[in-house]
C-alpha cells in the first residue's frame, strides 16, 4: 500500500520547476481556499435563521471532531510527509509533523458532509465537497501530502459528521444558548440597525 501511495504521489507531485500559473493556482487552493469554511459559517450565522444557526453549530462541531480525531491518529501513528523522507518536490513550507490524515481536507469535508445531512444547506455542502478535490490535488502537487492522506481525511470527515449529527442532543442546546448570548452582546448595535439577525 505504501508503494502505491508513493507511486501515485510522484505522479501527482509538481516537477522541480513548475509553470508559474499552475503553481499560483495550486498555492491558492492549498493554502487559502480553506478560509471559505469560516466565511460561510460566519455569514450564515450573522444572517441566518435559528435553524440555519443550529446547522452551522453542528457543522462546526463536526469540523472540530474531525481535527481532534486527526490529532489522536497522529499521536498513535506518526506518518512522515513526503519531504521528510526526501520524496518528490516540496514547493510550500510546512511543519514536519504527521501527514495522515490531511487536516485541511478533514475540516473542509467534515463541514461539507455535515451540511449534506440536512436539506437546506445541501447545495453549500455539495459545493464544499467539490472544492475539496482541487484542494486535495494542490496539497499533493505542492508536496506536503500523500494521496492516502486525502482518503483518510474523507473517512475521518464522514465519521465526524455522523457523530456530530447523531449526538447533537448532547451539545447543541447549551452551545446554541451560549453562542446566542455572545452574539447578542457582540453585535447588539448591528442587530438594532437591522444589519444582523437577532
Amino acid at each position: 500500500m505504501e508503494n502505491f501511495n508513493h507511486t501515485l504521489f510522484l505522479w501527482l507531485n509538481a516537477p522541480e520547476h513548475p509553470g508559474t500559473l499552475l503553481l499560483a493556482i495550486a498555492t491558492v487552493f492549498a493554502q487559502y481556499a480553506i478560509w471559505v469554511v469560516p466565511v460561510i459559517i460566519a455569514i450564515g450565522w450573522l444572517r441566518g435563521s435559528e435553524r440555519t444557526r443550529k446547522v452551522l453549530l453542528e457543522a462546526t462541531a463536526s469540523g472540530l471532531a474531525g481535527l481532534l480525531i486527526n490529532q489522536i491518529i497522529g499521536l498513535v501513528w506518526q506518518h512522515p510527509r513526503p519531504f521528510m523522507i526526501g520524496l518528490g518536490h516540496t514547493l510550500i513550507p510546512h511543519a514536519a509533523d504527521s501527514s495522515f490524515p490531511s487536516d485541511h481536507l478533514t475540516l473542509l469535508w467534515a463541514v461539507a458532509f455535515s451540511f449534506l445531512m440536512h436539506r437546506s444547506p445541501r447545495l453549500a455542502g455539495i459545493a464544499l465537497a467539490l472544492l475539496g478535490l482541487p484542494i486535495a490535488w494542490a496539497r499533493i502537487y505542492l508536496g506536503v501530502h500523500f494521496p492516502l492522506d486525502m482518503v483518510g481525511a474523507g473517512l475521518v470527515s464522514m465519521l465526524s459528521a455522523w457523530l456530530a449529527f447523531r449526538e447533537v442532543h448532547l451539545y447543541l442546546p447549551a452551545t446554541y444558548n451560549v453562542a446566542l448570548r455572545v452574539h447578542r452582546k457582540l453585535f447588539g448595535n448591528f442587530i438594532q440597525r437591522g444589519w444582523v439577525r437577532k
Side-chain angles (χ1 to χ4, degrees), residues 80-146:
R81 293 180 184 273
F83 60 83
M84 294 166 68
I85 58 172
L87 194 67
H89 304 106
T90 306
L91 302 174
I92 56 172
H94 201 287
D97 55 1
S98 185
S99 75
F100 183 91
S102 164
D103 286 338
H104 270 73
L105 201 57
T106 295
L107 177 60
L108 183 82
W109 274 350
V111 171
F113 295 158
S114 185
F115 284 169
L116 289 171
M117 300 184 86
H118 299 275
R119 186 171 298 168
S120 55
R122 197 161 287 165
L123 190 59
I126 292 170
L128 285 178
L130 291 175
L131 177 61
L133 299 177
I135 289 177
W137 160 78
R139 294 186 71 77
I140 298 166
Y141 182 80
L142 296 174
V144 295
H145 273 292
F146 287 105

